[in-house]
mmCIF file of all heavy atoms in Angstrom:
data_model
loop_
_atom_site.group_PDB
_atom_site.id
_atom_site.type_symbol
_atom_site.label_atom_id
_atom_site.label_comp_id
_atom_site.label_asym_id
_atom_site.label_seq_id
_atom_site.Cartn_x
_atom_site.Cartn_y
_atom_site.Cartn_z
ATOM 1 N N MET N 181 -10.754 59.271 82.349
ATOM 2 C CA MET N 181 -11.971 58.493 82.129
ATOM 3 C C MET N 181 -12.254 58.525 80.624
ATOM 4 O O MET N 181 -12.779 59.498 80.106
ATOM 5 C CB MET N 181 -13.144 59.104 82.923
ATOM 6 C CG MET N 181 -12.924 59.121 84.424
ATOM 7 S SD MET N 181 -12.901 57.462 85.131
ATOM 8 C CE MET N 181 -14.619 57.027 84.946
ATOM 9 N N TRP N 182 -11.878 57.439 79.883
ATOM 10 C CA TRP N 182 -11.989 57.443 78.427
ATOM 11 C C TRP N 182 -13.213 56.674 77.931
ATOM 12 O O TRP N 182 -13.711 56.949 76.856
ATOM 13 C CB TRP N 182 -10.751 56.792 77.802
ATOM 14 C CG TRP N 182 -9.508 57.619 77.938
ATOM 15 C CD1 TRP N 182 -8.499 57.445 78.823
ATOM 16 C CD2 TRP N 182 -9.183 58.778 77.184
ATOM 17 N NE1 TRP N 182 -7.543 58.400 78.676
ATOM 18 C CE2 TRP N 182 -7.929 59.256 77.659
ATOM 19 C CE3 TRP N 182 -9.814 59.496 76.161
ATOM 20 C CZ2 TRP N 182 -7.314 60.372 77.147
ATOM 21 C CZ3 TRP N 182 -9.169 60.610 75.649
ATOM 22 C CH2 TRP N 182 -7.944 61.047 76.127
ATOM 23 N N ASP N 183 -13.609 55.639 78.626
ATOM 24 C CA ASP N 183 -14.622 54.744 78.082
ATOM 25 C C ASP N 183 -15.623 54.408 79.178
ATOM 26 O O ASP N 183 -15.616 55.017 80.251
ATOM 27 C CB ASP N 183 -13.948 53.484 77.542
ATOM 28 C CG ASP N 183 -14.729 52.866 76.385
ATOM 29 O OD1 ASP N 183 -15.930 53.133 76.305
ATOM 30 O OD2 ASP N 183 -14.116 52.141 75.578
ATOM 31 N N ASP N 184 -16.403 53.382 78.869
ATOM 32 C CA ASP N 184 -17.331 52.949 79.901
ATOM 33 C C ASP N 184 -16.541 52.521 81.139
ATOM 34 O O ASP N 184 -15.491 51.880 81.008
ATOM 35 C CB ASP N 184 -18.185 51.779 79.413
ATOM 36 C CG ASP N 184 -19.097 52.198 78.273
ATOM 37 O OD1 ASP N 184 -19.413 53.405 78.192
ATOM 38 O OD2 ASP N 184 -19.475 51.329 77.455
ATOM 39 N N PRO N 185 -17.014 52.851 82.329
ATOM 40 C CA PRO N 185 -16.289 52.453 83.550
ATOM 41 C C PRO N 185 -16.239 50.944 83.690
ATOM 42 O O PRO N 185 -17.182 50.232 83.366
ATOM 43 C CB PRO N 185 -17.109 53.094 84.665
ATOM 44 C CG PRO N 185 -18.451 53.337 84.078
ATOM 45 C CD PRO N 185 -18.240 53.605 82.634
ATOM 46 N N VAL N 186 -15.077 50.424 84.043
ATOM 47 C CA VAL N 186 -14.875 48.990 84.203
ATOM 48 C C VAL N 186 -14.544 48.737 85.683
ATOM 49 O O VAL N 186 -13.639 49.365 86.232
ATOM 50 C CB VAL N 186 -13.744 48.474 83.297
ATOM 51 C CG1 VAL N 186 -13.511 46.980 83.544
ATOM 52 C CG2 VAL N 186 -14.081 48.717 81.839
ATOM 53 N N LEU N 187 -15.255 47.818 86.262
ATOM 54 C CA LEU N 187 -15.020 47.494 87.666
ATOM 55 C C LEU N 187 -14.281 46.188 87.756
ATOM 56 O O LEU N 187 -14.706 45.175 87.187
ATOM 57 C CB LEU N 187 -16.365 47.396 88.419
ATOM 58 C CG LEU N 187 -17.205 48.671 88.428
ATOM 59 C CD1 LEU N 187 -18.523 48.413 89.174
ATOM 60 C CD2 LEU N 187 -16.451 49.799 89.091
ATOM 61 N N GLY N 188 -13.133 46.145 88.322
ATOM 62 C CA GLY N 188 -12.389 44.918 88.521
ATOM 63 C C GLY N 188 -11.512 44.583 87.335
ATOM 64 O O GLY N 188 -11.339 45.358 86.394
ATOM 65 N N ALA N 189 -10.926 43.352 87.301
ATOM 66 C CA ALA N 189 -9.997 42.909 86.250
ATOM 67 C C ALA N 189 -10.769 42.435 85.012
ATOM 68 O O ALA N 189 -11.985 42.205 85.050
ATOM 69 C CB ALA N 189 -9.127 41.789 86.798
ATOM 70 N N LEU N 190 -10.012 42.279 83.844
ATOM 71 C CA LEU N 190 -10.609 41.788 82.604
ATOM 72 C C LEU N 190 -11.048 40.344 82.770
ATOM 73 O O LEU N 190 -10.356 39.523 83.376
ATOM 74 C CB LEU N 190 -9.612 41.880 81.457
ATOM 75 C CG LEU N 190 -9.196 43.275 81.010
ATOM 76 C CD1 LEU N 190 -8.088 43.176 79.976
ATOM 77 C CD2 LEU N 190 -10.386 44.030 80.443
ATOM 78 N N THR N 191 -12.154 40.016 82.180
ATOM 79 C CA THR N 191 -12.628 38.642 82.179
ATOM 80 C C THR N 191 -12.019 37.876 81.020
ATOM 81 O O THR N 191 -11.438 38.470 80.099
ATOM 82 C CB THR N 191 -14.160 38.603 82.066
ATOM 83 O OG1 THR N 191 -14.531 39.109 80.776
ATOM 84 C CG2 THR N 191 -14.815 39.442 83.159
ATOM 85 N N ASP N 192 -12.140 36.543 81.041
ATOM 86 C CA ASP N 192 -11.650 35.727 79.920
ATOM 87 C C ASP N 192 -12.359 36.094 78.622
ATOM 88 O O ASP N 192 -11.759 36.087 77.535
ATOM 89 C CB ASP N 192 -11.870 34.246 80.238
ATOM 90 C CG ASP N 192 -10.985 33.778 81.376
ATOM 91 O OD1 ASP N 192 -9.998 34.479 81.658
ATOM 92 O OD2 ASP N 192 -11.287 32.710 81.940
ATOM 93 N N GLU N 193 -13.613 36.439 78.748
ATOM 94 C CA GLU N 193 -14.365 36.824 77.546
ATOM 95 C C GLU N 193 -13.814 38.116 76.950
ATOM 96 O O GLU N 193 -13.687 38.248 75.731
ATOM 97 C CB GLU N 193 -15.838 36.984 77.897
ATOM 98 C CG GLU N 193 -16.695 37.331 76.694
ATOM 99 C CD GLU N 193 -18.159 37.491 77.075
ATOM 100 O OE1 GLU N 193 -18.524 37.245 78.240
ATOM 101 O OE2 GLU N 193 -18.948 37.886 76.187
ATOM 102 N N ASP N 194 -13.466 39.057 77.853
ATOM 103 C CA ASP N 194 -12.879 40.313 77.354
ATOM 104 C C ASP N 194 -11.545 40.047 76.650
ATOM 105 O O ASP N 194 -11.258 40.616 75.585
ATOM 106 C CB ASP N 194 -12.651 41.273 78.522
ATOM 107 C CG ASP N 194 -13.955 41.730 79.154
ATOM 108 O OD1 ASP N 194 -14.971 41.731 78.439
ATOM 109 O OD2 ASP N 194 -13.932 42.069 80.344
ATOM 110 N N THR N 195 -10.728 39.190 77.245
ATOM 111 C CA THR N 195 -9.430 38.872 76.637
ATOM 112 C C THR N 195 -9.602 38.190 75.294
ATOM 113 O O THR N 195 -8.911 38.521 74.321
ATOM 114 C CB THR N 195 -8.616 37.968 77.577
ATOM 115 O OG1 THR N 195 -8.453 38.616 78.843
ATOM 116 C CG2 THR N 195 -7.259 37.657 76.976
ATOM 117 N N GLU N 196 -10.522 37.246 75.190
ATOM 118 C CA GLU N 196 -10.739 36.542 73.925
ATOM 119 C C GLU N 196 -11.296 37.475 72.853
ATOM 120 O O GLU N 196 -10.917 37.413 71.682
ATOM 121 C CB GLU N 196 -11.705 35.374 74.152
ATOM 122 C CG GLU N 196 -11.907 34.494 72.923
ATOM 123 C CD GLU N 196 -10.606 33.868 72.454
ATOM 124 O OE1 GLU N 196 -9.694 33.643 73.298
ATOM 125 O OE2 GLU N 196 -10.481 33.627 71.231
ATOM 126 N N THR N 197 -12.168 38.354 73.277
ATOM 127 C CA THR N 197 -12.720 39.328 72.316
ATOM 128 C C THR N 197 -11.618 40.237 71.762
ATOM 129 O O THR N 197 -11.554 40.517 70.566
ATOM 130 C CB THR N 197 -13.813 40.175 72.991
ATOM 131 O OG1 THR N 197 -14.856 39.313 73.443
ATOM 132 C CG2 THR N 197 -14.375 41.208 72.035
ATOM 133 N N ALA N 198 -10.733 40.685 72.661
ATOM 134 C CA ALA N 198 -9.627 41.545 72.216
ATOM 135 C C ALA N 198 -8.681 40.777 71.304
ATOM 136 O O ALA N 198 -8.206 41.313 70.294
ATOM 137 C CB ALA N 198 -8.873 42.081 73.438
ATOM 138 N N ARG N 199 -8.409 39.481 71.658
ATOM 139 C CA ARG N 199 -7.519 38.676 70.827
ATOM 140 C C ARG N 199 -8.144 38.444 69.444
ATOM 141 O O ARG N 199 -7.466 38.530 68.422
ATOM 142 C CB ARG N 199 -7.227 37.343 71.511
ATOM 143 C CG ARG N 199 -6.257 36.463 70.705
ATOM 144 C CD ARG N 199 -6.029 35.108 71.370
ATOM 145 N NE ARG N 199 -5.413 35.284 72.702
ATOM 146 C CZ ARG N 199 -6.036 35.081 73.858
ATOM 147 N NH1 ARG N 199 -7.330 34.709 73.872
ATOM 148 N NH2 ARG N 199 -5.414 35.263 75.010
ATOM 149 N N THR N 200 -9.424 38.167 69.382
ATOM 150 C CA THR N 200 -10.111 37.959 68.099
ATOM 151 C C THR N 200 -10.065 39.229 67.246
ATOM 152 O O THR N 200 -9.810 39.183 66.042
ATOM 153 C CB THR N 200 -11.562 37.535 68.339
ATOM 154 O OG1 THR N 200 -11.574 36.309 69.084
ATOM 155 C CG2 THR N 200 -12.299 37.353 67.027
ATOM 156 N N ALA N 201 -10.314 40.355 67.903
ATOM 157 C CA ALA N 201 -10.272 41.623 67.158
ATOM 158 C C ALA N 201 -8.874 41.893 66.606
ATOM 159 O O ALA N 201 -8.708 42.384 65.473
ATOM 160 C CB ALA N 201 -10.715 42.768 68.063
ATOM 161 N N LEU N 202 -7.838 41.580 67.418
ATOM 162 C CA LEU N 202 -6.470 41.798 66.958
ATOM 163 C C LEU N 202 -6.142 40.882 65.786
ATOM 164 O O LEU N 202 -5.575 41.322 64.775
ATOM 165 C CB LEU N 202 -5.495 41.553 68.113
ATOM 166 C CG LEU N 202 -4.007 41.694 67.760
ATOM 167 C CD1 LEU N 202 -3.707 43.110 67.270
ATOM 168 C CD2 LEU N 202 -3.137 41.341 68.960
ATOM 169 N N HIS N 203 -6.485 39.591 65.871
ATOM 170 C CA HIS N 203 -6.206 38.657 64.773
ATOM 171 C C HIS N 203 -6.977 39.053 63.511
ATOM 172 O O HIS N 203 -6.447 38.956 62.400
ATOM 173 C CB HIS N 203 -6.575 37.240 65.205
ATOM 174 C CG HIS N 203 -5.645 36.665 66.200
ATOM 175 N ND1 HIS N 203 -5.869 35.447 66.825
ATOM 176 C CD2 HIS N 203 -4.467 37.126 66.721
ATOM 177 C CE1 HIS N 203 -4.882 35.192 67.661
ATOM 178 N NE2 HIS N 203 -4.017 36.210 67.615
ATOM 179 N N THR N 204 -8.204 39.486 63.732
ATOM 180 C CA THR N 204 -8.997 39.917 62.566
ATOM 181 C C THR N 204 -8.347 41.116 61.889
ATOM 182 O O THR N 204 -8.244 41.185 60.658
ATOM 183 C CB THR N 204 -10.426 40.265 63.009
ATOM 184 O OG1 THR N 204 -11.023 39.114 63.605
ATOM 185 C CG2 THR N 204 -11.268 40.725 61.831
ATOM 186 N N ALA N 205 -7.895 42.061 62.674
ATOM 187 C CA ALA N 205 -7.257 43.259 62.096
ATOM 188 C C ALA N 205 -5.954 42.894 61.403
ATOM 189 O O ALA N 205 -5.634 43.423 60.321
ATOM 190 C CB ALA N 205 -7.006 44.296 63.183
ATOM 191 N N GLN N 206 -5.165 42.001 62.002
ATOM 192 C CA GLN N 206 -3.903 41.591 61.370
ATOM 193 C C GLN N 206 -4.163 40.903 60.033
ATOM 194 O O GLN N 206 -3.489 41.183 59.031
ATOM 195 C CB GLN N 206 -3.142 40.651 62.316
ATOM 196 C CG GLN N 206 -2.569 41.322 63.545
ATOM 197 C CD GLN N 206 -1.952 40.323 64.507
ATOM 198 O OE1 GLN N 206 -2.223 39.116 64.441
ATOM 199 N NE2 GLN N 206 -1.109 40.811 65.416
ATOM 200 N N HIS N 207 -5.113 39.995 60.033
ATOM 201 C CA HIS N 207 -5.407 39.276 58.783
ATOM 202 C C HIS N 207 -5.942 40.231 57.723
ATOM 203 O O HIS N 207 -5.561 40.149 56.535
ATOM 204 C CB HIS N 207 -6.414 38.161 59.064
ATOM 205 C CG HIS N 207 -6.768 37.367 57.840
ATOM 206 N ND1 HIS N 207 -5.875 36.496 57.230
ATOM 207 C CD2 HIS N 207 -7.901 37.326 57.088
ATOM 208 C CE1 HIS N 207 -6.446 35.949 56.167
ATOM 209 N NE2 HIS N 207 -7.685 36.438 56.066
ATOM 210 N N ALA N 208 -6.819 41.148 58.121
ATOM 211 C CA ALA N 208 -7.376 42.108 57.163
ATOM 212 C C ALA N 208 -6.270 43.011 56.589
ATOM 213 O O ALA N 208 -6.265 43.328 55.399
ATOM 214 C CB ALA N 208 -8.455 42.950 57.849
ATOM 215 N N TRP N 209 -5.339 43.407 57.458
ATOM 216 C CA TRP N 209 -4.233 44.254 56.976
ATOM 217 C C TRP N 209 -3.373 43.511 55.956
ATOM 218 O O TRP N 209 -3.026 44.048 54.902
ATOM 219 C CB TRP N 209 -3.399 44.696 58.172
ATOM 220 C CG TRP N 209 -2.223 45.550 57.784
ATOM 221 C CD1 TRP N 209 -0.943 45.167 57.636
ATOM 222 C CD2 TRP N 209 -2.258 46.947 57.473
ATOM 223 N NE1 TRP N 209 -0.146 46.217 57.251
ATOM 224 C CE2 TRP N 209 -0.936 47.330 57.146
ATOM 225 C CE3 TRP N 209 -3.270 47.904 57.447
ATOM 226 C CZ2 TRP N 209 -0.600 48.637 56.802
ATOM 227 C CZ3 TRP N 209 -2.943 49.206 57.103
ATOM 228 C CH2 TRP N 209 -1.624 49.566 56.777
ATOM 229 N N ASP N 210 -3.026 42.260 56.264
ATOM 230 C CA ASP N 210 -2.216 41.477 55.327
ATOM 231 C C ASP N 210 -2.991 41.169 54.044
ATOM 232 O O ASP N 210 -2.434 41.182 52.940
ATOM 233 C CB ASP N 210 -1.772 40.166 55.979
ATOM 234 C CG ASP N 210 -0.646 40.380 56.989
ATOM 235 O OD1 ASP N 210 -0.136 41.518 57.054
ATOM 236 O OD2 ASP N 210 -0.286 39.428 57.693
ATOM 237 N N LEU N 211 -4.285 40.880 54.202
ATOM 238 C CA LEU N 211 -5.095 40.592 53.014
ATOM 239 C C LEU N 211 -5.193 41.823 52.118
ATOM 240 O O LEU N 211 -5.157 41.720 50.888
ATOM 241 C CB LEU N 211 -6.486 40.128 53.442
ATOM 242 C CG LEU N 211 -7.433 39.690 52.311
ATOM 243 C CD1 LEU N 211 -6.833 38.527 51.524
ATOM 244 C CD2 LEU N 211 -8.808 39.321 52.869
ATOM 245 N N ARG N 212 -5.296 42.991 52.740
ATOM 246 C CA ARG N 212 -5.303 44.236 51.948
ATOM 247 C C ARG N 212 -4.002 44.394 51.171
ATOM 248 O O ARG N 212 -3.998 44.700 49.978
ATOM 249 C CB ARG N 212 -5.481 45.421 52.901
ATOM 250 C CG ARG N 212 -5.154 46.788 52.275
ATOM 251 C CD ARG N 212 -4.779 47.775 53.372
ATOM 252 N NE ARG N 212 -4.286 49.001 52.806
ATOM 253 C CZ ARG N 212 -3.039 49.208 52.390
ATOM 254 N NH1 ARG N 212 -2.158 48.216 52.449
ATOM 255 N NH2 ARG N 212 -2.680 50.375 51.888
ATOM 256 N N ALA N 213 -2.850 44.174 51.817
ATOM 257 C CA ALA N 213 -1.555 44.299 51.143
ATOM 258 C C ALA N 213 -1.418 43.260 50.029
ATOM 259 O O ALA N 213 -0.897 43.559 48.947
ATOM 260 C CB ALA N 213 -0.425 44.155 52.157
ATOM 261 N N ALA N 214 -1.880 42.027 50.278
ATOM 262 C CA ALA N 214 -1.789 40.986 49.256
ATOM 263 C C ALA N 214 -2.659 41.323 48.054
ATOM 264 O O ALA N 214 -2.258 41.166 46.902
ATOM 265 C CB ALA N 214 -2.199 39.640 49.855
ATOM 266 N N THR N 215 -3.868 41.798 48.315
ATOM 267 C CA THR N 215 -4.767 42.160 47.214
ATOM 268 C C THR N 215 -4.203 43.334 46.419
ATOM 269 O O THR N 215 -4.255 43.360 45.188
ATOM 270 C CB THR N 215 -6.156 42.524 47.773
ATOM 271 O OG1 THR N 215 -6.644 41.432 48.553
ATOM 272 C CG2 THR N 215 -7.128 42.817 46.650
ATOM 273 N N LEU N 216 -3.652 44.307 47.106
ATOM 274 C CA LEU N 216 -3.090 45.484 46.436
ATOM 275 C C LEU N 216 -1.887 45.106 45.582
ATOM 276 O O LEU N 216 -1.721 45.578 44.463
ATOM 277 C CB LEU N 216 -2.697 46.524 47.477
ATOM 278 C CG LEU N 216 -2.157 47.862 46.956
ATOM 279 C CD1 LEU N 216 -3.230 48.601 46.192
ATOM 280 C CD2 LEU N 216 -1.647 48.709 48.114
ATOM 281 N N SER N 217 -1.034 44.225 46.098
ATOM 282 C CA SER N 217 0.223 43.930 45.410
ATOM 283 C C SER N 217 0.074 42.882 44.320
ATOM 284 O O SER N 217 0.856 42.879 43.365
ATOM 285 C CB SER N 217 1.263 43.452 46.429
ATOM 286 O OG SER N 217 0.862 42.220 47.023
ATOM 287 N N GLN N 218 -0.913 41.981 44.436
ATOM 288 C CA GLN N 218 -1.032 40.894 43.462
ATOM 289 C C GLN N 218 -2.069 41.181 42.386
ATOM 290 O O GLN N 218 -1.950 40.715 41.265
ATOM 291 C CB GLN N 218 -1.382 39.585 44.174
ATOM 292 C CG GLN N 218 -0.352 39.172 45.200
ATOM 293 C CD GLN N 218 1.051 39.153 44.627
ATOM 294 O OE1 GLN N 218 1.307 38.497 43.624
ATOM 295 N NE2 GLN N 218 1.967 39.892 45.250
ATOM 296 N N GLY N 219 -3.096 41.916 42.717
ATOM 297 C CA GLY N 219 -4.024 42.378 41.693
ATOM 298 C C GLY N 219 -5.146 41.424 41.357
ATOM 299 O O GLY N 219 -6.126 41.838 40.755
ATOM 300 N N ASP N 220 -5.065 40.128 41.692
ATOM 301 C CA ASP N 220 -6.147 39.215 41.385
ATOM 302 C C ASP N 220 -6.237 38.146 42.469
ATOM 303 O O ASP N 220 -5.338 37.983 43.305
ATOM 304 C CB ASP N 220 -5.976 38.577 40.004
ATOM 305 C CG ASP N 220 -4.652 37.842 39.852
ATOM 306 O OD1 ASP N 220 -4.024 37.524 40.877
ATOM 307 O OD2 ASP N 220 -4.245 37.601 38.691
ATOM 308 N N ALA N 221 -7.332 37.402 42.461
ATOM 309 C CA ALA N 221 -7.573 36.408 43.504
ATOM 310 C C ALA N 221 -6.542 35.290 43.468
ATOM 311 O O ALA N 221 -6.126 34.774 44.506
ATOM 312 C CB ALA N 221 -8.990 35.836 43.353
ATOM 313 N N GLU N 222 -6.111 34.894 42.273
ATOM 314 C CA GLU N 222 -5.135 33.819 42.155
ATOM 315 C C GLU N 222 -3.821 34.219 42.806
ATOM 316 O O GLU N 222 -3.178 33.427 43.507
ATOM 317 C CB GLU N 222 -4.915 33.468 40.690
ATOM 318 C CG GLU N 222 -3.903 32.362 40.443
ATOM 319 C CD GLU N 222 -4.308 31.052 41.102
ATOM 320 O OE1 GLU N 222 -5.523 30.808 41.248
ATOM 321 O OE2 GLU N 222 -3.414 30.289 41.490
ATOM 322 N N GLY N 223 -3.387 35.460 42.602
ATOM 323 C CA GLY N 223 -2.169 35.927 43.234
ATOM 324 C C GLY N 223 -2.281 35.958 44.744
ATOM 325 O O GLY N 223 -1.327 35.641 45.469
ATOM 326 N N VAL N 224 -3.459 36.351 45.257
ATOM 327 C CA VAL N 224 -3.664 36.366 46.700
ATOM 328 C C VAL N 224 -3.593 34.951 47.262
ATOM 329 O O VAL N 224 -3.011 34.720 48.331
ATOM 330 C CB VAL N 224 -5.015 37.035 47.028
ATOM 331 C CG1 VAL N 224 -5.320 36.921 48.523
ATOM 332 C CG2 VAL N 224 -4.993 38.506 46.612
#
Side-chain angles (χ1 to χ4, degrees):
M181 299 293 290
W182 290 102
D183 209 337
D184 295 335
V186 177
L187 299 178
L190 293 174
T191 66
D192 292 342
E193 182 180 355
D194 294 334
T195 303
E196 185 60 28
T197 300
R199 182 183 298 109
T200 300
L202 178 61
H203 288 173
T204 300
Q206 290 174 342
H207 180 71
W209 179 261
D210 285 352
L211 184 59
R212 165 204 172 277
T215 304
L216 183 65
S217 64
Q218 301 308 305
D220 57 18
E222 179 60 30
V224 174

